[in-house]
Amino acid sequence: MALRGCGAEASTVRTPAELDAVDALVLPGGESTTMSRLLQVFDLEIPLRERLAAGMPTLATCAGLILMSREVLDGRPDQIALGVLDVSVRRNGYGRQVDSFEADIPVSLLGVAPFHAVFIRAPLIEHTGSDAEVIATFGSNPVAIAQGPHIGLCFHPEMTDDSRLHRVFVERAAAALEMNAA
């Protein structure tokens, strides 16, 4: 709904053919180990790696951020880390479900008004490499990063009525598509 509200056409991606049909991707929250396993079960890991390497814009929230990271510090041995975002993350770094919280945070891409962020079993970004631009922090910890055509968030922007982050993603994706078409 948030993407459609920003003028984007949204569809579900469960197969390599469906992945081929989209210009950008949202990797949502959920369970990162399950998402990792499903990428393998549905033969999406290699096609996804190829599309990401080719510059497909991606918005990765919570578990999606874990999946896109360079390193998962406490993941399962068979868990996929796609290595697209130059970050090391800790699953459930802010605590368990009962420790979920909300906070107003400034996000540099959004201007002056803070974003009301919803953290649900949120990952903790423990390290950012030189390729990752920190665009929001909570306390002293990065909670949102931008890297090339990708945005990675520790929180769930879809849980609010504020569509600014989705709008920024749609605009960045459109710009990346224009640049690749030129």
Side-chain angles (χ1 to χ4, degrees):
M1 296 299 266
L3 293 172
R4 285 188 182 106
C6 297
E9 185 178 323
S11 62
T12 314
V13 173
R14 293 188 184 107
T15 66
E18 291 171 340
L19 180 62
D20 284 343
V22 299
D23 295 321
L25 187 66
V26 174
L27 289 172
E31 172 48 50
S32 62
T33 55
T34 300
M35 291 168 66
S36 176
R37 187 171 154 327
L38 290 173
L39 284 176
Q40 294 170 327
V41 167
F42 290 103
D43 294 322
L44 278 167
E45 180 185 359
I46 292 171
L48 179 58
R49 286 183 185 277
E50 290 170 351
R51 290 293 309 276
L52 292 169
M56 179 177 64
T58 307
L59 173 63
T61 65
C62 200
L65 169 68
I66 295 168
L67 195 61
M68 292 278 287
S69 71
R70 175 179 31 82
E71 179 182 31
V72 182
L73 297 171
D74 58 353
R76 293 172 37 127
D78 61 344
Q79 184 170 0
I80 294 171
L82 295 168
V84 176
L85 298 175
D86 193 10
V87 295
S88 297
V89 297
R90 184 167 305 282
R91 295 171 59 244
N92 303 325
Y94 286 95
R96 302 176 59 84
Q97 187 77 24
V98 297
D99 300 310
S100 299
F101 64 97
E102 300 178 21
D104 290 332
I105 59 171
V107 178
S108 63
L109 298 177
L110 302 181
V112 177
F115 189 88
H116 189 73
V118 179
F119 293 81
I120 302 171
R121 292 178 47 211
L124 176 67
I125 297 174
E126 291 205 2
H127 175 75
T128 58
S130 59
D131 292 335
E133 173 192 359
V134 175
I135 59 172
T137 58
F138 177 73
S140 61
N141 298 313
V143 294
I145 60 111
Q147 184 174 332
H150 313 296
I151 297 174
L153 309 171
C154 293
F155 52 90
H156 292 267
E158 75 281 3
M159 299 294 294
T160 73
D161 292 331
D162 189 339
S163 63
R164 291 180 295 159
L165 279 168
H166 289 95
R167 187 170 313 287
V168 165
F169 173 66
V170 169
E171 290 168 357
R172 287 172 66 114
L177 289 170
E178 285 180 24
M179 184 185 310
N180 289 338

